[in-house]
Amino acid sequence: MVQREARNATYSARDHALAVLRVRNTALALALTPAAIAVVLLVVGAPGALGWSVAAVAVAVLASATALGLSIARARPRPTPTVPVADEAAPALHRLIRELAAELDVPEPGGIALTPDCDSWLDEQAAPPGGAPVLVIGSPFLWWLRVDELRALLAPVVAGTGPAAHPDIASARRCLRAWDAAAGRARGRSAARHPLAAVAGRLARRLLRAGAGHSVEMERGVAAAAASRARGVDQALRALAQEQVGLAYAGWDRLLTRVALPAWRTGRWPSGLDAGVAAALAELSSRDRLADGFAARLDRRPACDLLERPGELDQQVSLLAARLFHGVPDDRSAGWAPVEWPAYPEEVVDRIWRDRAARLFTALDATETPTLARALHGLAEAAADGNTDELAARLTADAARAEAAHAPRPWSPPDGGQGPLPLPPQQPRGRRESLIDHVAAAVCCAAADTAGASPGLDWLDGPVLRTVAGRPQDLADTVHTLVEEGDAGPLRDWLALAGVRADKPVRLV
């Protein structure tokens, strides 16, 4: 029954694939029409002038059509950068995928690669000549999912190699990729300087519009066929795995924006993002009562055990993530280097705090005596004179200039692959929030210099302050009260309780 449903879905996808190919064939037929008319006229003995005039038009049309066809056929979409996983680097993972493909009765994927994202798909562009598509796996899945969960999750993806091997579907997909690449290549190019690419782009867009409906239905049919074929493989476990995928999405986005991005901006790239997301999600499972039921699954074998050297692959994926989501600095000697998680607090958090504290003391003209007491006095004066917003604006502008001075350039893959990817959306921070960040940084520096506190890393919240008594929970509230209300009393009480000496100089470098 399942096999019959899969075949029916494949047939439906094939029908739509043939419809896409008819769009291509119609364009070819239109290009050949003048030549056919010229041949007919010459055969029936039409007047020489008419026949040769039509023949000249036919030659011109054929020449133009050939040039446009070659331009479109040679267009290639930009490949998605991935980290290939060789058989010797993960024999257990390759064996699992081979056994899964055999159970599904579909061709084995032509290879395995990792991507720094929470997604998995079949990459036909990376397929070896005459081989099946490459299976691309989201790296967070390997570090968070258990082995049986990963197998259940990948079953519908691997099942897609069956429809992908159908010649009509493969041909239709090649046409669609070429049309899309030609249309994309024409964007941003001057029609006067690149007339052939511009015309080919317009033609490709028309072909895409003509085949759009059928291409969508074809992919739906392919997905339905893959889902039907995989229905009998770990169906119950797949529902649980999908719940973990949603959790992985949230943890990965949070790790990128709250932990990785601050490091990238300081010239450091965390070399173990996948291990980090696993730690973050394990922390979430221990904190969140809703996730308590997931904690027991951590005793089962993680999917990253299928790799021979998971740390090396994690480092490669982490570097790719830094390049894709952030870019690379123009001056590599300025400190663009990997950082391991134990060194993150000192190399990233402490540097962020001291940069912000130096910016605050500069704005307050207190660099000669950079004490927290001097900063609090300056903030109180600014609040009394109504200059808090002016101070916040200055700090925001100074921070923007400093960030622009070290802004990375977009990374261009050596194979011409896809360039930078956007980070998950973030809530923009206002000027007052920027001022609060700078004041809190100065407080953290003073606590580290005079009270034995230290910078720390929270997997879910990012940089934090660790005091002798643990992580203080009310520091942000006291700083907020100082900035918004001009009342330094709660912060002074916090400093006294934490043993921070506000009269001692703060180290800024």
Side-chain angles (χ1 to χ4, degrees):
M1 179 66 180
V2 170
Q3 297 294 335
R4 187 182 302 113
E5 290 181 4
R7 285 196 297 270
N8 291 338
T10 301
Y11 292 149
S12 175
R14 178 177 178 271
D15 292 338
H16 290 288
L18 291 174
V20 171
L21 295 177
R22 281 195 293 272
V23 173
R24 179 200 63 184
N25 296 339
T26 300
L28 292 174
L30 289 174
L32 294 173
T33 298
I37 294 174
V39 171
V40 171
L41 290 176
L42 293 174
V43 169
V44 300
L50 177 60
W52 290 112
S53 297
V54 174
V57 172
V59 171
V61 171
L62 281 176
S64 300
T66 301
L68 291 173
L70 290 174
S71 178
I72 292 175
R74 290 172 179 172
R76 293 289 182 271
R78 301 172 67 183
T80 301
T82 56
V83 176
V85 181
D87 198 340
E88 57 271 16
L93 177 60
H94 280 265
R95 183 168 57 252
L96 182 146
I97 298 302
R98 282 195 298 269
E99 294 173 353
L100 183 58
E103 182 176 349
L104 294 168
D105 193 22
V106 296
E108 176 190 343
I112 300 176
L114 300 183
T115 180
D117 200 1
C118 291
D119 198 4
S120 295
W121 69 91
L122 294 173
D123 188 356
E124 296 187 0
Q125 291 179 251
V134 170
L135 174 63
V136 180
I137 305 173
S139 61
F141 296 160
L142 277 174
W143 269 260
W144 177 240
L145 296 181
R146 309 295 101 178
V147 172
D148 52 354
E149 293 171 345
L150 181 70
R151 184 178 185 276
L153 183 70
L154 293 180
V157 184
V158 174
T161 60
H166 195 285
D168 293 330
I169 294 175
S171 181
R173 283 176 165 176
R174 284 195 298 270
C175 284
L176 291 168
R177 287 197 299 269
W179 296 345
D180 185 63
R185 183 184 56 190
R187 297 189 190 100
R189 286 193 174 188
S190 170
R193 300 180 62 181
H194 305 278
L196 182 61
V199 177
R202 285 196 292 269
L203 176 60
R205 284 192 291 271
R206 290 193 176 188
L207 294 173
L208 283 172
R209 284 196 296 268
H214 291 293
S215 66
V216 171
E217 293 302 324
M218 177 185 71
E219 295 302 334
R220 285 179 179 171
V222 169
S228 297
R229 188 174 291 274
R231 187 178 302 167
V233 179
D234 302 327
Q235 181 66 24
L237 189 58
R238 189 172 304 124
L240 298 176
Q242 290 292 348
E243 294 180 8
Q244 297 303 316
V245 167
L247 197 62
Y249 268 108
W252 183 249
D253 288 355
R254 194 154 180 157
L255 185 77
L256 289 181
T257 55
R258 300 199 179 191
V259 178
L261 183 58
W264 294 336
R265 287 174 173 170
T266 63
R268 296 287 187 271
W269 53 274
S271 59
L273 287 180
D274 293 304
V277 76
L281 293 173
E283 179 71 14
L284 179 63
S285 298
S286 66
R287 290 188 195 178
D288 191 349
R289 292 182 179 179
L290 296 177
D292 283 346
F294 298 138
R297 56 180 287 280
L298 299 179
D299 294 333
R300 307 206 308 269
R301 185 188 182 194
C304 62
D305 278 1
L306 299 172
L307 307 175
E308 287 293 299
R309 295 183 177 87
E312 292 182 6
L313 279 174
D314 194 2
Q315 186 174 33
Q316 295 178 44
V317 172
S318 299
L319 179 57
L320 179 59
R323 289 169 169 173
L324 287 176
F325 292 111
H326 184 66
V328 293
D330 285 326
D331 184 8
R332 300 284 183 94
S333 63
W336 183 247
V339 58
E340 297 183 358
W341 293 124
Y344 184 98
E346 288 296 329
E347 293 192 27
V348 177
V349 181
D350 188 71
R351 178 175 174 179
I352 292 173
W353 286 348
R354 299 199 185 275
D355 284 347
R356 288 177 177 173
R359 199 175 296 124
L360 176 67
F361 283 113
T362 300
L364 294 172
D365 296 326
T367 54
E368 293 185 1
T369 56
T371 65
L372 192 57
R374 176 67 184 87
L376 296 180
H377 179 72
L379 290 167
E381 287 184 344
D385 298 338
N387 293 330
T388 301
D389 288 336
E390 180 180 345
L391 176 61
R394 178 180 176 183
L395 283 172
T396 302
D398 290 346
R401 280 192 294 271
E403 186 173 341
H406 299 90
R409 56 178 172 81
W411 178 64
S412 298
D415 59 356
Q418 188 178 27
L421 298 177
L423 279 169
Q426 302 177 68
Q427 190 72 19
R429 299 187 67 78
R431 294 175 176 177
R432 286 289 183 108
E433 291 174 317
S434 178
L435 176 57
I436 291 173
D437 291 341
H438 283 76
V439 175
V443 173
C444 291
C445 289
D449 292 342
T450 67
S454 61
L457 169 63
D458 184 279
W459 291 116
L460 300 176
D461 297 330
V464 294
L465 176 69
R466 305 286 187 189
T467 63
V468 177
R471 177 182 170 184
Q473 300 295 327
D474 53 351
L475 174 59
D477 294 335
T478 60
V479 175
H480 188 275
T481 301
L482 169 64
V483 172
E484 295 293 343
E485 302 175 13
D487 182 8
L491 180 56
R492 294 186 185 278
D493 293 340
W494 185 93
L495 295 173
L497 185 63
V500 179
R501 294 285 303 273
D503 58 325
K504 294 292 185 179
V506 174
R507 182 173 58 86
L508 300 181
V509 292

